[in-house]
Amino acid sequence: MIKSLGRLGKIQDSRSAMLVQDIEGSVGNYIKDVDGNVLLDVYCQIASIAIGYNNPGLLNLARSEKWVRASVNRPALGVFPPTDWAETLENSFLRVAPKGLNQVFTAGCGSTANEIAFKAAFMYQQTVRRGNKDFTAEELESCLLNEAPGSPDTKILSFRTGFHGTLSATRSKSIHKVDIPSFSWPVAPFPDLRYPLHENVEYNHSEESRCLDATEKLIKKWDSQVAAIIVEPIQGEGGDNHATPYFFKGLREITKRNNVLMIVDEVQTGAGCTGKFWAHEHWELDTPPDFVVFSKRLQSAGVYHNLSTRPPQPFRNFNTWMGDPIRAYQAEFMINEILTHNLAENATVVGEYLKEGLNKLSTLYPTQVSKVRGQGTFIAFDCENTEIRDKIALSMRQHGYDILMIFHKI
Amino acid sequence: MIKSLGRLGKIQDSRSAMLVQDIEGSVGNYIKDVDGNVLLDVYCQIASIAIGYNNPGLLNLARSEKWVRASVNRPALGVFPPTDWAETLENSFLRVAPKGLNQVFTAGCGSTANEIAFKAAFMYQQTVRRGNKDFTAEELESCLLNEAPGSPDTKILSFRTGFHGTLSATRSKSIHKVDIPSFSWPVAPFPDLRYPLHENVEYNHSEESRCLDATEKLIKKWDSQVAAIIVEPIQGEGGDNHATPYFFKGLREITKRNNVLMIVDEVQTGAGCTGKFWAHEHWELDTPPDFVVFSKRLQSAGVYHNLSTRPPQPFRNFNTWMGDPIRAYQAEFMINEILTHNLAENATVVGEYLKEGLNKLSTLYPTQVSKVRGQGTFIAFDCENTEIRDKIALSMRQHGYDILMIFHKI
């Protein structure tokens, strides 16, 4: 491994590498490295492998003529959609479209998908503000100079410790943001729940109410400048922070009351791992979110929305590739596997078993294991300090578990 | 086609579609549509198909075991590089690394590659400003609130009618920018050359000097706030605007004199189409650009740079996938084809032949064909007005040429 990374390090930053991977030798939930070590992989390429390594069905798909042709002839989907594109979208993303949303904008990665949702939200709000009229000459000219009114000072509200790729809305870790210019966008508090949940119902409810009030105050402070809020169902990169349906229902009420759009970032929570196909299904909202963003496990990224947020003019939310057909074929297969084999329900069963074990450990070793939390297999616990965390991670690694170490606040 | 687009339009914005493509039926330079029409394709999926449709060598590659495995087991390259990643980078992108640059940061698309270059430039400049010292606590805390000093007001200077995907630096068309917030970044004039070049040497020289002076004045106006400039060798999306090596050499001198980094956006000009592998080779710079960005024809996107612009800390310029191995395999094959068959030189030969013909037409029909310009096969001409342009485009289409219509200023 040292030799491989040394060679790589000469031409590309390899300081973040944990191991050098033997792709062919990795099977199911087990990842193999260049030195022959086999590890149980609960990290799964930063949550982007949905149904295991070298899944036989996926390998067959990748050997099919349609995959081979589409992979070397990648189309510019916005201008030259292939003959099977509509059918592929129907059988993949639309098959699991969140309730109330029937449009899908495909994209290359989670960050760009979030930005596509931001742009759609900005366009929608500005269209409403100008009363559906044509752009003025002043708007069209000033935007080329990055000046108002064409480049308006509209904002996306995000939450403390949230991660969305696109940096002005990301608030998880300084190392990703420091030295980079950012828009002056508001950040609202995210609930800091106490565990175990059943012993802290009253405290947690008031903590969530506090965050809801703060969110609405921020929206009103920048009256009509907040185009949308963006929120993750579970803040993964920020340290596995959860909130209850009460909080998310409250957010939906606030956004409706203030004519603000709601973007749910399911890049890390989507595709079944929380026990539902989409984590926001747990909330049972009366009104669907305006945008649901996906990526990672589905390999294809994109944004669900509905017709009202399709911009009135074409070419406004547009790019060269607009996604990738082979990643949609891959999503189609994986979605079918997840639905056919009830993998979301299975995540609940496996997750409950794991949490039960962790809760027992937590009673025995509270400094090592505390705040056990999670939905489905999206599970975390805290350690009292980083030394204990690193020791556990190293020990797990030596016992053959490749586990994710979140640099969580302590 | 109408039926296919109607079905697609119900679930995805299809107003930008020109035709529905039969991928299997497209061969070499010819694209086939769902109705059986075969068109000579000089547009090539918005300049993203380098060596034709269904190239037999690429089809073989896509049937190889390493392609099949890597395509369904897409790794998170920053954390788990596969065993052949260093070798693949050496044999693909590094094989054609621009002179003076020996690092490559791989990415998903041109827009994100440009943003990766922006981030690297910001990090470099801020590191220099703090004298290579550690971040202050104030910087680390303020950046999470999108406030100075952690989120500094540094800028990227771009050029009028330039296109870079990332909107604050893009200045080509209002329709892409209107209603979207933008950073207050400076825009410099890009030379508006007169044609034919040999009859306008003096005028063009003074036009380029004017633009150079304006660029340096803008940089000095925002003293030390312009971290980098970004420029395309040929402004494609902005209407095929060219400048001479005198202009680009001048930009390099200005950036060196003012400690500003230089990003050359070769997303649309790279991979041989201008007669050199990289269009900026035509300039014969004494000092290489700090960053060269690529995408489109190479299928993989990325940024060339050197060690001095690798950030001092890991995980700062980082994301989940950091590129895609199969697109690097594809680039490796295509680069080998381009070099082995001298396709860049061939673009010069074919391009000169085409320009000769267009110049003859220009003499005969000056309202239909004027300002014939281009390098290699990256060729354009102007029409006197949009009616003439649309008539020519329609007529070409009916004669079997699928040609790109740029909505150019008239």
Side-chain angles (χ1 to χ4, degrees), chain A residues 7 90 130 140 174 179, chain B residues 7 90 130 140 174 179:
Chain A
R7 182 174 174 183
E90 286 163 3
R130 72 167 67 81
L140 293 175
S174 302
D179 291 349
Chain B
R7 182 173 174 184
E90 287 163 2
R130 73 168 65 83
L140 292 175
S174 301
D179 290 348

Side-chain angles (χ1 to χ4, degrees), chain A residues 9 33 41 99 212 261 297 392:
Chain A
D33 77 5
D41 188 356
K99 207 175 139 189
L212 288 171
L261 301 177
R297 274 183 203 81
I392 292 176

